Amino acid sequence: MKKKSLLSKTLSLFVVCTTVIFILTTPLFYLLTKHFYAEDMADIINAVQQGNGIPSLDLERDIIMGMMLQLLLIFIVLCFALLLTIRFMTHRLWSPFDDTLKMIEQFNLAKNPIPQLYDGGIEEFARLNDSLRKLIQKDKEAYRIQKEFTENASHELQTPLAIIRSKLDLLMQENADEKTMLAIADLYSLNIRMEHLNRNLLLLAKIENEQYTEMEDIDLNDFIESSLPGYEALHSGICFEHDKKDIFKIRANRILLECLLNNLIVNAIRHTPDTDGGIKVLSSNGNLTVYNSAYGDSLKADTLFLRFRTGDVNKKGNGLGLSIVKAICDYHGWDVNYSFEDKGHKFSILFII
Amino acid sequence: MLFSLYLTEPHLFWHNLFSYSDFLQSCILNLQPTLQKTQEMKLLIIEDEKELSDSIVCFLSREDYLCEQAFSFVEAVSKIEIYDYDCIMLDLMLPGGNGLDILKKIKKKPSVAGVIIISAKDSLDDKVDGLRLGADDYLAKPFHLPELSMRIFALLRRKNFTGSNILKNGELTIDLLCKRVSTNELALDLTKTEYELLLFLIENRRRVISKSALAEHLSGDIADMMDDFNFVYAHIKNLKAKLQQAGISECIKTYYGTGYKWILEE
């Protein structure tokens, strides 16, 4: 089907609309002409035919009045046609554009397939949809490549990292002197840092690829209780407060929940100046709060959850921990917030149940 | 028969020939240790990364293990079909096939070989699939060699190759079932972490273990989120003090704060 341009379509619609209204109002014009405009003429013709004298009439006034009325009617009809075209026809004409706009607004590069766009047989919209489709296709391709790259790169890096680690384990066995041993220790910590970074990138890629589909109902309090001993090996005196009677079930992926908790608590351990205590974990009313006493001031809340932003000058961590927290919360539809209270950092997660 | 195979399928012929030479070689290897020691564990390492496989062999051969290597799917399958092993370390991604198929083949055999999956694929599915198919343990790459050694030790013990659940080292006696440690009938009061630490050190005796390997053993994945492993030092210090109290001193040697070694003689 040949597509028409927007302008020609509007014009043709206007013409059609006006014609229809004029046809519909023809009886009105007829009546108007008969009773106002041509009324006097008809009287004169009747009188002349019957041989009577011309009746005394204010012909000028009547004709002007009739013409004026006719003009008014035409004006009203035209206005009506215009209004109708603008109000309803244009609305119908532009509805494909409206649909496209809605679809684009709701479009999520990660989740949705390329949307089916309707052009309504209009050339401009067809062009718009075509370019949008191409653009989205390119974006999706770029997105896919980026995702795959992260995942593949992480996979490929794992092997050399494993080899380095095993070689270090072997090197440790050679009765080396202090300098060498300290160098080996440095290499160990570098290896672990790289390994950690690699694992985190892989995790983020997997969350984005939505590879964690298995969800189960987990009692959060039980879950925290069972992971506490692991944290206490790292830092003594972590205080966990919750209402014992409260059963706090959430629907989550077990691996991700564990990862979320690990990141929040290790982050707290890492940034507290206290060697004993200073960390509080609170769970109540659909809320989980992790609080730790801090060295300094509040962190910048707006950039806190971005990747590779470390608030600390000491450059601890790899700057991915909190973005993982954010990604996991987004994945489950939870809300995570940061605030600075009582000279300490407070992260709270609101589970929407 | 071999000659006819050579005519029809030359690559199989060569493969078989290699298998036979392997077989002879292992017969000789098998004969040697029986003269010296009665019990020697036979391990097979199925891993396509030669460097990693070599490291594992080098590390494990310090114990009384006899290690053999397989670098591809075909090689692994042919070795499994010919010999019996006590413990098999299995990588899942191999050139020529999936490691899980090898696992099925191992389980079809009447032997009681223990299988530890070592895989870079750290997805949970693999772990679940592997354990469902009958693997005994799962270790995600990268791992520390002392950790692998510990897992092998635990597996062999579980499979009851070494017989008892009591581990003795000098005056120390560890009941592995009740997780109790005692010296000369005197029980030691150790925390769970200290117990794990002690067991790890003893089972890796004669080796220097890095602080990071200890940290990872003690707290798993959480450990590598930490920037330093000073918590290991604290636990070692506590363990040393408790052992000292029980009359065992000079049992853990520290190497410049980077590594530890259990030096108590048996």
Side-chain angles (χ1 to χ4, degrees):
Chain A
M1 196 180 87
K2 185 156 174 10
K3 298 213 176 359
K4 283 182 190 161
S5 83
L6 197 60
L7 186 71
S8 74
K9 191 119 178 173
T10 318
L11 277 177
S12 60
L13 262 175
F14 178 68
V15 168
V16 168
C17 197
T18 321
T19 317
V20 168
I21 290 174
F22 265 103
I23 289 168
L24 285 177
T25 45
T26 309
L28 205 64
F29 275 105
Y30 175 76
L31 279 175
L32 187 81
T33 314
K34 197 174 172 195
H35 294 289
F36 288 94
Y37 191 51
E39 179 206 14
D40 295 339
M41 292 288 199
D43 281 354
I44 292 169
I45 291 165
N46 265 344
V48 169
Q49 272 175 350
Q50 285 166 10
N52 301 340
I54 295 165
S56 58
L57 287 166
D58 192 350
L59 207 59
E60 196 185 325
R61 201 194 71 123
D62 277 4
I63 286 174
I64 286 174
M65 173 105 159
M67 275 175 85
M68 278 299 157
L69 274 171
Q70 215 167 22
L71 268 178
L72 197 71
L73 191 65
I74 291 171
F75 178 71
I76 288 169
V77 164
L78 275 179
C79 271
F80 198 62
L82 205 65
L83 210 74
L84 223 63
T85 338
I86 291 171
R87 181 69 188 84
F88 295 105
M89 296 304 153
T90 313
H91 188 256
R92 224 192 68 190
L93 208 62
W94 283 82
S95 76
F97 181 74
D98 219 37
D99 289 346
T100 307
L101 212 59
K102 264 186 208 146
M103 276 189 184
I104 297 303
E105 274 166 356
Q106 288 164 0
F107 182 69
N108 184 331
L109 199 58
K111 286 177 187 157
N112 303 12
I114 299 171
Q116 281 290 323
L117 300 171
Y118 171 66
D119 59 25
I122 293 164
E123 199 193 332
E124 281 90 342
F125 293 163
R127 266 166 58 200
L128 176 74
N129 291 351
D130 210 38
S131 1
L132 273 175
R133 217 171 287 129
K134 275 183 195 151
L135 204 65
I136 291 172
Q137 204 147 23
K138 260 188 213 158
D139 272 2
K140 275 195 106 66
E141 186 65 16
Y143 185 69
R144 190 183 60 80
I145 289 170
Q146 181 212 325
K147 279 198 311 191
E148 277 183 6
F149 175 79
T150 320
E151 204 172 338
N152 290 344
S154 304
H155 265 313
E156 291 306 314
L157 271 171
Q158 254 171 352
T159 310
L161 284 170
I163 295 171
I164 291 173
R165 184 180 278 204
S166 69
K167 296 279 173 201
L168 285 172
D169 284 335
L170 281 178
L171 209 57
M172 202 85 181
Q173 310 307 318
E174 314 296 332
N175 282 314
D177 57 3
E178 183 174 1
K179 221 167 128 189
T180 319
M181 282 298 254
L182 290 178
I184 292 173
D186 283 348
L187 287 175
Y188 260 123
S189 65
L190 278 174
N191 178 259
I192 279 166
R193 235 169 75 188
M194 260 159 76
E195 163 57 28
H196 186 211
L197 183 66
N198 193 40
R199 203 184 302 180
N200 278 351
L201 284 174
L202 190 62
L203 179 77
L204 277 172
K206 277 180 157 183
I207 294 174
E208 273 167 14
N209 293 359
E210 306 199 4
Q211 286 175 9
Y212 295 97
T213 46
E214 269 177 40
M215 294 286 178
E216 53 186 308
D217 289 316
I218 300 169
D219 186 348
L220 189 71
N221 291 338
D222 269 3
F223 191 79
I224 298 174
E225 201 82 69
S226 63
S227 11
L228 270 184
Y231 303 127
E232 271 156 3
L234 302 176
H235 185 96
S236 54
I238 295 172
C239 172
F240 175 46
E241 286 172 20
H242 66 285
D243 192 350
K244 288 251 182 329
K245 280 171 275 172
D246 212 15
I247 297 170
F248 185 9
K249 284 246 179 262
I250 50 168
R251 189 147 187 82
N253 181 286
R254 192 168 278 277
I255 304 170
L256 291 183
L257 185 64
E258 192 184 332
C259 190
L260 174 78
L261 213 59
N262 283 352
N263 271 299
L264 277 179
I265 293 181
V266 171
N267 212 33
I269 294 174
R270 195 186 276 155
H271 291 107
T272 183
D274 301 321
T275 48
D276 190 24
I279 294 167
K280 274 193 214 118
V281 183
L282 271 158
S283 112
S284 66
N285 306 330
N287 246 312
L288 176 75
T289 312
V290 178
Y291 169 88
N292 71 283
S293 57
Y295 287 103
D297 292 331
S298 170
L299 303 167
K300 276 183 196 142
D302 48 340
T303 57
L304 197 59
F305 294 106
L306 296 178
R307 291 181 193 185
F308 301 113
R309 299 286 174 101
T310 44
D312 216 305
V313 276
N314 298 330
K315 185 78 187 170
K316 286 177 174 179
N318 58 22
L320 283 178
L322 285 176
S323 45
I324 285 176
V325 168
K326 180 94 173 104
I328 293 174
C329 284
D330 287 349
Y331 188 73
H332 288 93
W334 303 332
D335 209 16
V336 58
N337 280 305
Y338 165 77
S339 59
F340 189 76
E341 286 169 25
D342 298 333
K343 288 180 186 165
H345 305 301
K346 192 172 127 188
F347 287 92
S348 49
I349 295 171
L350 182 65
F351 300 97
I352 298 151
I353 308 163
Chain B
M1 191 200 85
L2 260 181
F3 185 67
S4 68
L5 194 64
Y6 177 67
L7 290 178
T8 52
E9 283 174 274
H11 67 280
L12 268 179
F13 165 79
W14 288 115
H15 184 74
N16 276 15
L17 209 61
F18 279 128
S19 303
Y20 285 124
S21 72
D22 259 3
F23 180 63
L24 279 177
Q25 201 181 353
S26 88
C27 281
I28 297 164
L29 279 172
N30 270 344
L31 275 175
Q32 273 178 338
T34 44
L35 298 173
Q36 296 155 2
K37 272 184 197 131
T38 45
Q39 260 229 324
E40 187 162 61
M41 294 298 160
K42 272 188 74 179
L43 311 182
L44 176 65
I45 296 141
I46 305 171
E47 162 66 60
D48 61 321
E49 286 296 330
K50 195 171 179 310
E51 299 262 348
L52 188 59
S53 182
D54 287 347
S55 297
I56 295 173
V57 171
C58 184
F59 194 80
L60 291 180
S61 54
R62 283 158 202 254
E63 303 216 0
D64 305 329
Y65 296 138
L66 187 77
C67 300
E68 280 192 36
Q69 293 164 285
F71 300 106
S72 69
F73 186 82
V74 185
E75 200 182 351
V77 169
S78 65
K79 284 204 167 171
I80 285 163
E81 277 167 1
I82 301 170
Y83 316 118
D84 279 326
Y85 296 95
D86 296 308
C87 183
I88 296 167
M89 272 135 279
L90 177 64
D91 187 5
L92 289 187
M93 286 198 283
L94 289 168
N98 190 335
L100 289 175
D101 294 330
I102 297 181
L103 183 59
K104 284 178 199 157
K105 282 197 167 61
I106 298 170
K107 287 293 147 189
K108 270 187 200 153
K109 282 189 68 179
S111 77
V112 283
V115 179
I116 298 175
I117 292 177
I118 44 173
S119 174
K121 276 174 137 186
D122 54 351
S123 75
L124 191 73
D125 293 345
D126 278 342
K127 189 173 174 175
V128 172
D129 281 350
L131 296 179
R132 194 170 48 79
L133 284 172
D136 299 273
D137 208 345
Y138 181 97
L139 196 55
K141 273 191 222 168
F143 47 80
H144 282 288
L145 294 177
E147 182 69 39
L148 178 67
S149 167
M150 171 93 182
R151 301 280 184 106
I152 293 170
F153 189 88
L155 176 60
L156 292 177
R157 201 178 59 222
R158 272 213 303 280
K159 291 260 169 192
N160 248 338
F161 286 118
T162 48
S164 109
N165 281 311
I166 306 287
L167 187 71
K168 275 189 185 263
N169 188 277
E171 290 161 33
L172 268 180
T173 311
I174 303 174
D175 187 335
L176 297 165
L177 280 182
C178 319
K179 301 193 170 181
R180 254 207 304 267
V181 186
S182 54
T183 56
N184 304 326
E185 304 302 313
L186 202 76
L188 253 78
D189 181 29
L190 298 182
T191 63
K192 189 174 167 286
T193 314
E194 286 156 7
Y195 172 79
E196 295 286 338
L197 196 60
L198 180 68
L199 207 62
F200 195 67
L201 284 167
I202 290 181
E203 294 196 347
N204 277 297
R205 59 187 170 268
R206 299 195 297 274
R207 291 197 188 113
V208 186
I209 306 167
S210 65
K211 213 153 62 168
S212 66
L214 284 174
E216 200 160 290
H217 180 71
L218 292 182
S219 57
D221 284 349
I222 319 171
D224 63 19
M225 294 187 194
M226 298 300 288
D227 315 297
D228 55 54
F229 302 120
N230 288 337
F231 70 96
V232 173
Y233 172 73
H235 289 299
I236 290 259
K237 206 174 76 181
N238 292 344
L239 179 64
K240 265 184 170 173
K242 282 184 183 174
L243 288 170
Q244 180 109 44
Q245 257 184 357
I248 301 172
S249 52
E250 303 281 317
C251 52
I252 301 168
K253 189 177 178 199
T254 310
Y255 288 82
Y256 316 107
T258 62
Y260 300 93
K261 185 167 158 185
W262 186 260
I263 50 168
L264 205 63
E265 282 308 312
E266 284 164 59

